[in-house]
Amino acid sequence: MAEAHKILATIKTALEAGERQQYLDLANNHAPVVPPTRRVPIAGPEHRAELATSLARELELVGGKFAGIVSPAELSNRIVTLAREIGAKVIAIGEGASLDMDAIGEALERADIKVVKAVPVADSERLTMREQIANADLGIAEAEYGIASTGTLAVISTETRPGSLTLLPTASLIIVQIDRVVHDLAAMLAAHGPARLIEHRLTLITGPSRTADIEKRIVLGVHGPKALHVIVVWPRDE
């Protein structure tokens, strides 16, 4: 119980730190240093190798599969290769947080892989869209942050990037930019800020879906993807 209280206190401090910085910026009569809706690098270049190594190690410890570090130019080919490795015939994708998902979708289609694009639809068509995503062999989403100390991916859901992409398909591929990998949950929450937590649902994903509800035996894939693959994008000029 004491440990739980310590974790909650750390989260509260991190959120308040982010909020204080925004108030200080406003008090000084200029825009916030880190506008909550603007995507800017979080991790400094000096720690990126260490953070990427930790993220990969912790991800594998919780059953995830680290699919490597690639440059932006190599990303589409790596995804096509991964899709072939796992035998994915149908892939669901949404809008990227910063990546050009249309380019990735086109590369997949050139490889004769069917692509289901998550797009805003009328309420009457929403169930059909969810069924198409659920029937995909692989769902692809871009994480807003990677948390190195736990191998966790933080994904924001929007109308064009629904949470179903990381929940319904049999397997999930999450892509994260190296400059969005932070050390721990407190650093992520401080960078994210309380305002954005209210605006959009934030999902923290640590390894593939698992449960131990029945006889305390761990079973994968009952409530979500059975496999989780992660790719880190790192520009070569850094």
Side-chain angles (χ1 to χ4, degrees):
M1 183 63 74
E3 191 64 26
H5 287 164
K6 183 179 177 182
I7 292 172
L8 290 174
T10 302
I11 293 172
K12 183 173 182 292
T13 301
L15 286 171
E16 290 175 346
E19 198 169 38
R20 275 200 303 273
Q21 182 60 53
Q22 291 179 32
Y23 289 149
L24 286 172
D25 290 332
L26 291 172
N28 291 329
N29 198 31
H30 57 68
V33 174
V34 183
T37 57
R38 183 181 170 196
R39 189 179 171 87
V40 298
I42 301 300
E46 66 276 15
H47 298 301
R48 289 177 184 174
E50 176 187 344
L51 292 170
T53 301
S54 177
L55 177 70
R57 181 182 64 244
E58 297 301 323
L59 173 74
E60 298 268 354
L61 286 176
V62 294
K65 299 176 181 178
F66 188 67
I69 298 174
V70 301
S71 70
E74 297 168 330
L75 180 59
S76 292
N77 285 339
R78 181 67 188 95
I79 292 174
V80 170
T81 300
L82 176 65
R84 287 172 171 160
E85 289 172 352
I86 65 175
K89 305 293 185 186
V90 181
I91 294 181
I93 62 174
E95 188 176 65
S98 65
L99 295 170
D100 182 359
M101 288 297 193
D102 287 338
I104 293 172
E106 291 168 4
L108 290 167
E109 289 176 334
R110 285 196 298 272
D112 293 328
I113 296 171
K114 182 179 178 181
V115 173
V116 175
K117 295 182 180 178
V119 295
V121 295
D123 290 345
S124 58
E125 300 173 355
R126 191 157 297 161
L127 180 59
T128 300
M129 174 61 72
R130 285 178 181 166
E131 287 177 346
Q132 290 178 335
I133 293 174
N135 290 330
D137 301 307
L138 179 70
I140 301 177
E142 181 182 2
E144 193 75 11
Y145 306 95
I147 302 175
S149 63
T150 56
T152 300
L153 290 309
V155 181
I156 290 179
S157 300
T158 67
E159 193 173 16
T160 56
R161 199 186 324 143
S164 54
L165 285 170
T166 58
L167 180 64
L168 298 181
T170 306
S172 181
L173 167 61
I174 299 181
I175 307 161
V176 63
Q177 302 269 6
I178 186 62
D179 62 13
R180 307 292 292 185
V181 179
V182 298
H183 178 66
D184 55 24
L185 178 62
M188 188 225 80
L189 290 172
H192 194 62
R196 293 195 73 197
L197 280 178
I198 297 172
E199 289 176 1
H200 300 291
R201 185 174 64 187
L202 180 71
T203 303
L204 300 177
I205 301 171
T206 306
S209 171
R210 64 184 64 204
T211 183
D213 291 346
I214 302 174
E215 298 180 354
K216 296 183 179 180
R217 294 173 56 189
I218 293 178
V219 180
L220 298 179
V222 176
H223 303 302
K226 192 174 183 177
L228 171 65
H229 307 266
V230 174
I231 292 176
V232 171
V233 178
W234 191 335
R236 294 299 189 203
D237 56 353
E238 293 186 357

